[in-house]
Amino acid sequence: MSAVPVERVDDLQAYAESAAGCTRCRLAQGRTQVVFGAGNSRAELMFVGEAPGFHEDKQGLPFVGQAGKLLEKLLAGIGLERSDVYICNVLKCRPPGNRDPQPDEIEACESHLFRQIELIEPTVVATLGNFATKLLSGRPLGITRVHGQEQQTTLGGRSVVLYPLYHPAAALYTPAMLKVLESDFARLPELLGRALVPPEPELALVAEPAQPPAEQLGLF
Ligand code: SF4
């Protein structure tokens, strides 16, 4: 295993500490604390949700309620744990009453997310739900149109695979959506493997046979 890039961990921590006092938008007034994000600071796979809810705001961690449990179950289904990935949200502070994020709040907060991506350097960024998907894809298409369709894009100054998924909170109450989420989720190991082949697509197609998922998961 390669040496842990200590400066990356330190930089992320330092950035989280500076963001903890952020007052760039109105959400600073009603929050208990900034919910910056949690997990492996050098994760290959990063999840981006919408905004902290009641429990997240109280505990300071993302995805700690029922949606978090479902996310953990889905991760276990592909042989991963929370500590293997990094989880955060578009907004770092809880909107009152869990209302939708406002455009000016997203605009105020997005640089925190872009900096996180820059520091973590994931190969796959899975967006959970509409807000994260629209922001990071730069396209107005809703999640029902684009879920499960990976897209190569540039985030945080590097090429990543963007992979839109239904938000676990929505799938909790809609069995049909849960089935789709499960089957989209099952492709993540393949995407992680694909993202890790050499960057030249033509060469990769010729030289690299498909790798078995077990081998890809060994990368964590
Ligand atoms: S939501 Fe984002 S921009 Fe607004 S106060 Fe919280 S951290 Fe700052």
Side-chain angles (χ1 to χ4, degrees), residues 19 22-25 27-28 31 34 91-93 105 108-109 112:
C22 179
T23 53
R24 268 189 228 156
C25 84
L27 297 180
R31 74 182 178 217
V34 167
L91 293 185
K92 312 302 184 199
C93 303
E105 293 161 359
C109 206
H112 291 317

Side-chain angles (χ1 to χ4, degrees), residues 148-159:
Q149 296 170 32
E150 70 271 29
Q151 175 195 333
Q152 198 81 36
T153 190
T154 303
L155 294 174
R158 58 199 300 277
S159 182

Side-chain angles (χ1 to χ4, degrees), residues 29 32 44 50 87 96 125 160 179 199 217:
Q29 292 155 24
T32 304
E44 301 283 354
E50 185 176 311
I87 305 173
V125 176
V160 301
K179 277 222 160 333
L217 290 174

Side-chain angles (χ1 to χ4, degrees), residues 177-197:
M177 206 182 268
L178 178 58
K179 277 222 160 333
V180 175
L181 177 58
E182 282 169 342
S183 93
D184 287 346
F185 223 88
R187 286 196 54 231
L188 276 167
E190 171 205 334
L191 292 176
L192 287 162
R194 185 187 302 177
L196 291 170
V197 298

Side-chain angles (χ1 to χ4, degrees), residues 17-213:
E17 279 160 25
S18 72
C22 179
T23 53
R24 268 189 228 156
C25 84
R26 66 180 79 80
L27 297 180
Q29 292 155 24
R31 74 182 178 217
T32 304
Q33 57 197 313
V34 167
V35 183
F36 183 72
N40 186 338
S41 55
R42 55 181 193 131
E44 301 283 354
L45 174 58
M46 183 167 171
F47 290 93
V48 183
E50 185 176 311
F54 178 84
H55 296 290
E56 287 79 12
D57 173 68
K58 292 281 174 256
Q59 294 184 38
L61 292 168
F63 283 86
V64 290
Q66 287 305 312
K69 286 209 174 76
L70 175 55
L71 185 59
E72 279 170 26
K73 209 171 128 196
L74 290 162
L75 280 171
I78 56 168
L80 296 177
E81 296 178 1
R82 269 183 94 109
S83 56
D84 293 314
V85 303
Y86 192 88
I87 305 173
C88 65
N89 287 301
V90 168
L91 293 185
K92 312 302 184 199
C93 303
R94 182 188 180 217
N98 293 351
R99 65 153 168 76
D100 283 349
Q102 303 291 300
D104 62 328
E105 293 161 359
I106 294 175
E107 204 185 323
C109 206
E110 66 183 21
S111 63
H112 291 317
L113 175 62
F114 290 130
R115 184 70 182 134
Q116 274 174 311
I117 296 172
E118 205 172 72
L119 290 169
I120 294 163
E121 301 185 327
T123 44
V124 176
V125 176
T127 50
L128 304 171
N130 261 324
F131 286 94
T133 300
K134 289 181 182 175
L135 175 66
L136 294 185
S137 69
R139 296 189 301 178
L141 298 175
I143 191 67
T144 46
R145 287 275 306 279
V146 298
H147 73 85
Q149 296 170 32
E150 70 271 29
Q151 175 195 333
Q152 198 81 36
T153 190
T154 303
L155 294 174
R158 58 199 300 277
S159 182
V160 301
V161 174
L162 188 74
Y163 191 51
L165 296 168
Y166 281 132
H167 196 292
L172 273 177
Y173 306 104
T174 318
M177 206 182 268
L178 178 58
K179 277 222 160 333
V180 175
L181 177 58
E182 282 169 342
S183 93
D184 287 346
F185 223 88
R187 286 196 54 231
L188 276 167
E190 171 205 334
L191 292 176
L192 287 162
R194 185 187 302 177
L196 291 170
V197 298
E200 299 84 11
E202 305 92 281
L203 280 180
L205 281 175
V206 175
E208 293 283 333
Q211 291 177 7

